[in-house]
Amino acid sequence: MSELVAAVRAGLAAAADPVRAEEMRRYMKSEMPMLGVPKPQRAVLAKALFKAHVFTERDPWVATAAELWRDATHREERYLALDLIGERRYARWQAPDLLPLYEEFIVTGAWWDFVDEIATRRVNDLMVDHRAELTPTMRAWAADPDRWKRRTSVLCQLHHKSDTDLDLLTHAIDTNAADPDFFLRKAIGWALRQHARVDPDWVRAFVAARELSPLSRREALKHL
């Protein structure tokens, strides 16, 4: 576990670009410093490191991802933590008991780049296989004081297509439709726009029957 954490930090440090780091930090409006390692370079680094450091047991894999996240001094370390926890070779280890860890990442990450990766990939995938077990939690998150958990509840079925639980989606949207927060309004429009790909008539009727913000409405109907 410690070897991979050290290797991640060393690899990111070797690829650091101070000029690009400041540009990336400003773009992300990030209080946490950045090293200036763009996504393509991080992907190459992650592939090499995850091939060299393979986990044969689940607990060390989870603990390493948590360590990378919690002890991060730069934003890219957290990106690598998300890459590790989402690594395809460990897909068999994804289970509902990881939700508290994802909740921690959502609340402490508290920005769209982290939250959207977790919501639309990790939580999304868990919902596919464990819908009945996780739906009550997603319904509760829709009304949580934390806006990022609410955003997750709206986006947690983004790629479910015709298998989308419309009752859950409706609950998440209706609970947050009046909130002035930009990220919630954007998420509502994004979720509806995505579902419109498979059920445009439902989305049209849904939007027509509600007082959504101009942003949510515009995003929802963007391709209709």
Side-chain angles (χ1 to χ4, degrees):
M1 146 176 21
S2 297
E3 289 181 3
L4 178 56
V5 171
V8 164
R9 291 172 179 161
L12 289 173
D17 181 334
V19 175
R20 180 178 284 164
E22 183 56 24
E23 294 172 352
M24 291 172 65
R25 189 195 64 78
R26 285 199 303 267
Y27 171 77
M28 289 304 305
K29 299 179 181 178
S30 174
E31 294 183 3
M32 177 178 280
M34 300 192 73
L35 290 162
V37 185
K39 187 173 182 178
Q41 283 183 259
R42 294 198 308 269
V44 172
L45 177 64
K47 183 177 181 180
L49 292 181
F50 297 165
K51 183 178 180 179
H53 301 269
V54 177
F55 292 91
T56 57
E57 296 181 356
R58 186 175 188 259
D59 287 349
W61 166 67
V62 175
T64 301
E67 181 179 351
L68 274 170
W69 181 275
R70 292 167 183 162
D71 294 343
T73 57
H74 294 80
R75 201 170 195 88
E76 288 91 342
E77 293 173 61
R78 288 189 163 181
Y79 291 147
L80 267 292
L82 295 182
D83 290 341
L84 176 58
I85 206 69
E87 171 68 9
R88 185 176 301 177
R89 76 183 68 206
Y90 307 123
R92 68 190 185 279
W93 289 341
Q94 293 289 335
D97 65 342
L98 286 177
L99 193 60
L101 181 67
Y102 295 154
E103 180 180 7
E104 176 189 340
F105 289 175
I106 288 166
V107 173
T108 58
W111 201 238
W112 63 267
D113 55 338
F114 295 140
V115 173
D116 290 359
E117 171 73 13
I118 299 163
T120 67
R121 296 182 182 275
R122 305 286 73 79
V123 178
N124 181 95
D125 292 351
L126 285 179
M127 287 289 290
V128 170
D129 296 323
H130 308 280
R131 184 183 300 276
E133 183 175 351
L134 297 185
T135 292
T137 300
M138 291 301 104
R139 290 181 69 89
W141 282 17
D144 194 272
D146 186 275
R147 66 171 170 170
W148 300 108
K149 289 169 68 174
R150 283 184 277 150
R151 182 173 167 96
T152 298
S153 75
V154 174
L155 297 177
C156 69
Q157 301 184 89
L158 194 70
H159 304 300
H160 287 201
K161 299 181 179 179
S162 58
D163 291 328
T164 298
D165 179 346
L166 295 178
D167 286 340
L168 173 58
L169 180 61
T170 297
H171 171 74
I173 292 175
D174 285 348
T175 304
N176 291 283
D179 196 298
D181 183 79
F182 168 84
F183 291 102
L184 286 169
R185 291 185 168 188
K186 188 78 170 181
I188 289 170
W190 185 12
L192 289 171
R193 184 177 76 242
Q194 189 74 6
H195 191 63
R197 296 174 183 272
V198 296
D199 198 345
D201 291 339
W202 185 90
V203 171
R204 286 192 185 96
F206 184 93
V207 171
R210 283 161 174 79
E211 293 187 8
L212 298 177
S213 71
L215 173 59
S216 296
R217 183 179 299 273
R218 184 169 62 251
E219 290 293 318
L221 302 177
K222 192 171 186 177
H223 300 305
L224 295 181

